[in-house]
Amino acid sequence: MILRNRLSGNTLRSIGLVCLILASLSRWFLHPAPRLGPSLVDATIGLLYGVSIGCLLLSLRRTERQCSG
């Protein structure tokens, strides 16, 4: 709710796209190591994909409301 009131659609879209790129690149660069287990790597990638999907959907909803009003 806090992000919905403060961030514009373009800012949310930018955050979503950056998180999507980071999640895609982390598949190549984050490798499970003894200190960094595979479950932590999967959780990090899943979190980045989740944030990107959420931000992109919120940006679509925000730009849709601005155009129809």
Side-chain angles (χ1 to χ4, degrees):
M1 295 297 168
I2 295 171
L3 291 178
R4 187 178 298 176
N5 295 332
R6 293 189 181 242
L7 297 177
S8 68
N10 290 335
T11 306
L12 282 172
R13 187 178 312 125
S14 298
I15 292 171
L17 289 174
V18 165
C19 287
L20 185 66
I21 290 170
L22 286 175
S24 298
L25 289 177
S26 65
R27 285 277 182 204
W28 288 335
F29 296 116
L30 285 181
H31 299 290
R35 291 189 319 167
L36 192 66
S39 59
L40 184 61
V41 172
D42 287 340
T44 304
I45 293 170
L47 178 72
L48 287 171
Y49 276 126
V51 168
S52 69
I53 290 170
C55 286
L56 289 173
L57 288 175
L58 281 175
S59 73
L60 283 176
R61 185 173 179 177
R62 181 164 290 255
T63 55
E64 177 182 303
R65 285 187 179 181
Q66 288 176 352
C67 293
S68 65

